[in-house]
Amino acid sequence: NTVSMHFLRSPAEMRDQLYAAGVEILNVSDLVSALDAAQILPASESLQQIQKRLTSNPDDEVSIVSEDLVIDLVDPFTARVFNRPVRGRLCTHQECFDHETYITTRALKSGRRTLREDWKCPICKQDARPQMLVIDGFLFNIREELSHTNQLENARSIRVKRDGSWTLKSDTVSSTGQTS
């Protein structure tokens, strides 16, 4: 491609020697490319983040430590458990939203225009552009286990303990799960 720039300058502007120009390259992606842009956060790293939140920090003057952490499994868009749990890389929460639903709703909201506000985390409003998303391996594994044990339909959230074990909080009865 060739870019030509023509300046219409006044005599006073002719004395100026320094000019700056910027080019912004926009990329319009299809659904598959947008989904492929997310990186995988291994289950072990996700679990480490959870355990870090459940452990006191000796550098803090005041530290509130809980025995467990409750993590919602319900996607904010569909009110069902996510299929592929993602969150923004800069998000500090463990909750996720459904990957494909999020990308699809952003595309429908934006149409052909591009707005930065369309790519904010629906939970905390951090940057959640496709390349900034991480697929949470720990929550993905839990979703798979719930699916295989026919507990997915009534699942709402889990309670994770420091040792990595978790308990399902559902619409009906609680179940216990183990991580491997």
Side-chain angles (χ1 to χ4, degrees):
N1 294 339
T2 302
V3 177
S4 295
M5 299 192 313
H6 303 276
F7 299 98
L8 302 175
R9 302 178 297 179
S10 68
E13 292 172 323
M14 295 290 272
R15 291 189 300 261
D16 295 334
Q17 301 273 334
L18 180 64
Y19 295 96
V23 177
E24 183 176 11
I25 299 172
L26 299 176
N27 210 2
V28 178
S29 298
D30 60 1
L31 178 61
V32 172
S33 298
L35 292 172
D36 287 345
Q39 302 208 349
I40 295 172
L41 177 66
S44 59
E45 287 182 38
S46 178
L47 185 56
Q48 284 176 350
Q49 290 176 357
I50 293 168
Q51 290 170 327
K52 185 178 178 183
R53 290 180 66 179
L54 293 171
T55 307
S56 65
N57 185 349
D59 296 335
D60 290 342
E61 289 181 29
V62 177
S63 186
I64 300 173
V65 180
S66 177
E67 291 295 317
D68 53 27
L69 178 67
V70 175
I71 302 173
D72 287 332
L73 301 177
V74 177
D75 173 63
F77 298 103
T78 63
R80 293 188 325 256
V81 175
F82 41 67
N83 287 319
R84 189 176 192 196
V86 295
R87 67 175 165 272
R89 191 174 301 133
L90 302 176
C91 296
T92 57
H93 52 83
Q94 294 300 130
E95 288 76 19
C96 290
F97 43 92
D98 183 66
H99 195 186
E100 188 169 344
T101 301
Y102 176 73
I103 298 293
T104 304
T105 57
R106 299 309 87 194
L108 293 174
K109 184 176 179 185
S110 296
R112 296 302 270 168
R113 63 187 170 78
T114 56
L115 294 176
R116 270 190 0 195
E117 305 308 314
D118 291 347
W119 297 102
K120 301 279 184 183
C121 171
I123 298 167
C124 70
K125 307 301 180 214
Q126 287 286 346
D127 185 357
R129 290 172 291 158
Q131 66 273 22
M132 291 296 290
L133 296 176
V134 292
I135 302 163
D136 189 307
F138 179 70
L139 293 180
F140 183 84
N141 292 345
I142 288 174
R143 190 226 183 272
E144 290 297 300
E145 185 171 330
L146 293 173
S147 178
H148 291 308
T149 57
N150 296 321
Q151 299 178 77
L152 196 58
E153 191 172 314
N154 294 320
R156 299 294 354 95
S157 60
I158 56 169
R159 186 176 303 273
V160 183
K161 294 187 179 186
R162 274 188 223 144
D163 65 1
S165 63
W166 55 273
T167 305
L168 174 64
K169 291 180 70 181
S170 65
D171 287 342
T172 56
V173 185
S174 291
S175 304
T176 302
Q178 297 295 327
T179 60
S180 48

